[in-house]
Amino acid sequence: MFKRLVTSAVLGAAILGSQAGLAADYTLKFGHLANEQHVWHQAAVKFKELVEENSEGRIEVQVYPNEQLGAEMDVINSIQLGTADMTITGESLQNWAPKAAMMAVPYAFRDSEHLEQAVEGEIGDQIEAQITERANLVPLAWFERGPRHLTSNRPIASPDELDGIRLRVPNVPLFVDTWEALGARPTPMAFSEVFTALQQSTIEAQENPLSLIESASFYEVQDNVNLTGHVRSWIYVVIGRNKLEAMPEELQQVVRDAAQEMQAYEAELFAEDQQRLRQSLQERGMEFVEVDTQAFIEKARPAVLEALNEEQRELFDAIQKL
């Protein structure tokens, strides 16, 4: 009897000890808008695995997809209040840091290589520094977003062929001004209304990345993907500066190193997904149309420059010189 009691006590102490050992010193609540199948979520899960392993359990990462912690701006506000810690965010950051507007300016970047050169260089450093200073968020990693392309039921290879086409755009003044300058009739509209509007011919075209063209089934109501690539952009994974700086230096480094590995992992997934998306849309009957990119750039440029303030225009000019 005594032996059994001793054994039970030892086992109980071991269990309690192991549970105590599993308790993390820090918890990172990482909320984002993507679903579980999206490459951003897969990258976030990779980050969680790396941080928890390399911190030997001292940091726990809780990932919340599907806007479980709220919409993008809600999560940013929560991070600033200290009730959330990390998110994935883009040009919305211009609400605090005007230089972040560069993350979605039409025809700012020629291609993926040009975008990477800007983000990884001095221009990216300026944008990140302003985000940290004014939004109190630290960019840890960045992901390229799929370029926005124009879909329509007739091929459009040059701006002259837009010819007043009724085009849905998000409610972004810069996008409206740019498409007007190109010769279209842009109509701001909620994304949820676009499929029905195309189906009923209320609008004739829309513009979005391939991922949204596929997921929204626009291939059922549009015949062509015109490869305008008019917006090439990126998005940041950010953490609250107060949360990051509350950790010891060695754990801050664990977080930063894991973020860089996450970035490389997501870049591989993104490249694979872009290839898959094109093939998928072609199999569903969409034609991919090469366009006169230079003609689009030249016609859009005056409207783009007019929309930028002096600070943003200086950054835009610096990007063009890369």
Side-chain angles (χ1 to χ4, degrees):
M1 179 72 176
F2 176 74
K3 190 174 181 180
R4 283 203 303 272
L5 287 171
V6 170
T7 304
S8 298
V10 170
L11 284 172
I15 291 168
L16 287 170
S18 66
Q19 288 174 337
L22 291 173
D25 297 333
Y26 300 92
T27 300
L28 298 179
K29 293 184 178 180
F30 186 170
H32 63 79
L33 57 81
N35 63 31
E36 288 89 339
Q37 287 72 48
H38 198 284
V39 295
W40 293 352
H41 179 68
Q42 294 172 44
V45 171
K46 182 73 168 179
F47 173 80
K48 167 185 170 68
E49 293 169 354
L50 289 165
V51 167
E52 291 180 351
E53 179 182 350
N54 295 333
S55 71
E56 297 180 341
R58 292 180 65 193
I59 304 174
E60 178 189 3
V61 180
Q62 299 173 353
V63 181
Y64 298 90
N66 293 308
E67 296 188 333
Q68 290 177 35
L69 298 185
E72 181 182 345
M73 293 295 286
D74 296 328
V75 182
I76 291 173
N77 290 329
S78 295
I79 294 171
Q80 292 169 332
L81 291 169
T83 55
D85 303 300
M86 296 180 65
T87 194
I88 302 173
T89 181
E91 61 274 10
S92 298
L93 291 166
Q94 70 185 288
N95 287 291
W96 295 270
K99 290 183 178 181
M102 290 298 105
M103 297 172 72
V105 171
Y107 292 114
F109 301 100
R110 295 183 292 274
D111 49 35
S112 293
E113 290 73 22
H114 186 205
L115 184 144
E116 181 177 3
Q117 189 179 4
V119 182
E120 292 283 4
E122 183 182 339
I123 289 164
D125 290 344
Q126 287 185 46
I127 295 170
E128 291 175 24
Q130 194 176 70
I131 291 168
T132 300
E133 177 189 348
R134 301 192 183 181
N136 213 32
L137 303 170
V138 178
L140 293 173
W142 65 274
F143 304 151
E144 182 178 0
R145 302 168 85 172
R148 299 179 78 93
H149 297 300
L150 175 69
T151 70
S152 60
N153 283 329
R154 54 181 168 85
I156 296 171
S158 77
D160 294 339
E161 294 172 350
L162 286 167
D163 192 28
I165 194 169
R166 296 189 304 278
L167 163 68
R168 180 270 174 181
V169 294
N171 191 16
V172 177
L174 176 54
F175 286 13
V176 174
D177 294 346
T178 300
W179 282 107
E180 281 181 347
L182 286 167
R185 290 165 54 195
T187 303
M189 180 184 295
F191 183 75
S192 58
E193 300 172 10
V194 176
F195 184 92
T196 301
L198 288 168
Q199 195 174 41
Q200 297 175 348
S201 299
T202 307
I203 54 173
E204 304 166 274
Q206 68 84 46
E207 49 82 53
N208 262 302
L210 297 183
S211 57
L212 287 179
I213 293 169
E214 181 195 49
S215 63
S217 302
F218 290 150
Y219 51 81
E220 295 180 7
V221 286
Q222 297 272 266
D223 297 331
N224 299 286
V225 177
N226 308 286
L227 295 168
T228 49
H230 49 279
V231 175
R232 293 181 179 273
S233 61
W234 73 99
I235 200 159
Y236 283 118
V237 177
V238 297
I239 186 171
R241 177 164 59 172
N242 294 344
K243 184 66 172 229
L244 182 65
E245 293 180 352
M247 297 181 185
E249 286 288 342
E250 68 271 17
L251 292 185
Q252 290 186 42
Q253 196 59 48
V254 165
V255 169
R256 291 183 182 278
D257 291 346
Q260 290 305 298
E261 288 192 55
M262 168 182 61
Q263 179 175 306
Y265 177 72
E266 192 278 342
E268 290 179 14
L269 296 179
F270 172 78
E272 292 169 3
D273 196 49
Q274 289 298 293
Q275 290 183 345
R276 181 199 66 76
L277 285 165
R278 179 160 181 159
Q279 182 178 345
S280 170
L281 292 170
Q282 286 174 323
E283 288 172 354
R284 287 170 162 83
M286 296 196 86
E287 297 288 334
F288 280 68
V289 180
E290 297 293 338
V291 308
D292 183 347
T293 303
Q294 195 57 38
F296 275 93
I297 291 171
E298 289 174 4
K299 201 163 184 180
R301 187 58 49 85
V304 170
L305 293 175
E306 178 67 25
L308 303 179
N309 65 32
E310 184 177 348
E311 180 183 45
Q312 292 165 341
R313 198 174 301 179
E314 286 179 7
L315 211 54
F316 183 88
D317 290 343
I319 288 168
Q320 300 313 297
K321 290 173 183 175
L322 289 176

